[in-house]
Amino acid sequence: MNRPIRKAVFPVGGLGTRFLPATKAMPKEMLPVVDKPLIQYAVEEARAAGIEEFIFVTGRGKQAIEDHFDRSYELEDVLRERDKRDLLDAINSWMPKAGQVSYTRQMEPLGLGHAVRCAKPLVGDEPFAVLLADDLILAPRACLAQMVDAYNKVGGNIIAAMDVPREHTKRYGIISPGKDNAQLVEVKGLVEKPKPEEAPSTTAVIGRYILQPSVFRHLDYVQRGAGGEIQLTDAMARMIGEVPFHGLRFKGERYDCGDKVGFLHANIAFALAREDMQKDVAAIVREVHKQL
Ligand code: G1P
């Protein structure tokens, strides 16, 4: 029996320099896609996968995230007075219950591996999930829920995987594949951001992970890797052979919201997926297309 995945870690300490000036005083995770901040999509995805505890690894200037997952009594009062029931529901329906959320700070920007390591005392000795809010996934079934389904069958570590053009390998962790049934691919090796000519495949890691707690032990030993940062990919690479390890080619569309064009793409795609906006937005897209 595989131990259940109850906790999720959200590394949100990054500076968001690619979105300046928007992110000068606002966390990049609060950028909205249509009308919802990126971080809320990630939290809702985790909840849909059965997660009960939400652990944020934050940094300076990230107060807005804590406020977002807290009650706002003034706002609730005003909405109640104005009888705006639907808006009241919208701000409270996804609110975490008392004690379900915790925050810790990554005091130095030493990379994703370091951020995850900061969560060790809060995660303890149990398998857990990691979600990167930059990777937004539009899917019929939440991506992390698909991964939990796979985990319940094969256990060990599961990472979200997607095939990318070879010229993009330097943006991602890349999998060296073993057995591959098109959906589940065995992870035989992992390398962070390889040059296209050196990449062992074009199957990339997307920002969703289910990890065994032994990853923390490895994170203590990995040296600074790609970009001078402590890489989660390098710690995971040390776990190959130690635990079952698979990539899941999830069903759904992934948008890279760490990138301006990807972020705009996500906004259009999510608006088109919404019944209340579909018609108007489709008309605008057609109109813009005519002008090209
Ligand atoms: C991180 C990971 C990388 C992964 C990517 C997915 O990189 O280090 O392995 O492929 O997320 O988005 P980052 O985009 O933070 O540079």
Side-chain angles (χ1 to χ4, degrees):
M1 196 31 196
N2 297 313
R3 288 198 284 169
I5 310 299
R6 302 184 313 117
K7 301 185 180 185
V9 175
F10 302 86
V12 292
L15 288 176
T17 47
R18 283 198 277 173
F19 273 94
L20 284 169
T23 50
K24 190 176 170 208
M26 181 182 81
K28 65 171 175 169
E29 297 79 11
M30 290 301 293
L31 287 169
V33 168
V34 184
D35 53 6
K36 206 189 280 184
L38 284 170
I39 189 63
Q40 191 178 333
Y41 285 101
V43 165
E44 287 181 359
E45 181 182 328
R47 285 189 45 181
I51 296 296
E52 295 162 5
E53 287 185 39
F54 306 83
I55 300 163
F56 294 82
V57 183
T58 72
R60 272 179 289 282
K62 300 284 182 168
Q63 190 72 39
I65 296 178
E66 292 186 40
D67 291 340
H68 187 73
F69 292 107
D70 195 358
R71 299 284 294 267
S72 169
Y73 289 105
E74 304 94 304
L75 183 59
E76 286 178 36
D77 268 357
V78 172
L79 293 177
R80 216 169 283 118
E81 256 166 45
R82 297 187 185 162
D83 208 22
K84 302 264 187 206
R85 282 266 135 221
D86 47 340
L87 289 181
L88 258 177
D89 291 348
I91 62 165
N92 283 336
S93 62
W94 47 269
M95 201 56 88
K97 297 197 177 62
Q100 274 191 316
V101 182
S102 41
Y103 299 90
T104 186
R105 273 201 188 203
Q106 181 184 16
M107 289 183 280
E108 297 165 278
L110 294 182
L112 178 60
H114 178 254
V116 171
R117 174 66 183 76
C118 292
K120 180 181 176 186
L122 294 165
V123 171
D125 187 28
E126 60 179 283
F128 63 103
V130 177
L131 294 94
L132 308 186
D134 277 1
D135 282 325
L136 183 57
I137 298 166
L138 186 58
R141 175 161 167 75
C143 176
L144 188 65
Q146 297 178 41
M147 292 169 67
V148 169
D149 294 344
Y151 168 79
N152 288 336
K153 291 187 194 127
V154 295
N157 284 353
I158 310 271
I159 49 186
M162 186 180 104
D163 294 298
V164 299
R166 187 161 277 275
E167 62 270 27
H168 291 174
T169 58
K170 55 185 180 301
R171 300 183 191 171
Y172 299 98
I174 298 290
I175 296 172
S176 191
K179 270 196 222 138
D180 189 340
N181 74 2
Q183 204 199 358
L184 213 55
V185 47
E186 199 185 349
V187 177
K188 288 283 193 189
L190 278 170
V191 43
E192 182 67 10
K193 304 199 168 76
K195 291 187 192 134
E197 61 276 19
E198 285 163 12
S201 78
T202 52
T203 307
V205 180
I206 298 305
R208 301 287 184 277
Y209 309 80
I210 290 176
L211 298 171
Q212 296 302 309
S214 57
V215 71
F216 292 124
R217 184 163 38 82
H218 294 294
L219 279 168
D220 283 338
Y221 290 106
V222 289
Q223 305 288 316
R224 290 187 189 213
E229 297 187 335
I230 296 172
Q231 295 292 351
L232 182 59
T233 301
D234 296 343
M236 292 191 305
R238 295 167 62 114
M239 298 171 81
I240 294 166
E242 190 184 279
V243 295
F245 203 151
H246 296 88
L248 176 73
R249 290 196 186 84
F250 54 92
K251 293 196 175 70
E253 211 46 59
R254 170 261 186 180
Y255 300 93
D256 178 7
C257 291
D259 170 79
K260 282 174 210 152
V261 175
F263 177 72
L264 285 172
H265 192 178
N267 269 283
I268 295 166
F270 274 71
L272 288 173
R274 287 237 321 225
E275 259 176 41
D276 58 334
M277 302 174 75
Q278 201 172 52
K279 220 169 122 236
D280 292 345
V281 176
I284 292 170
V285 172
R286 273 195 293 272
E287 188 55 38
V288 171
H289 188 245
K290 255 191 266 157
Q291 290 164 13
L292 290 178

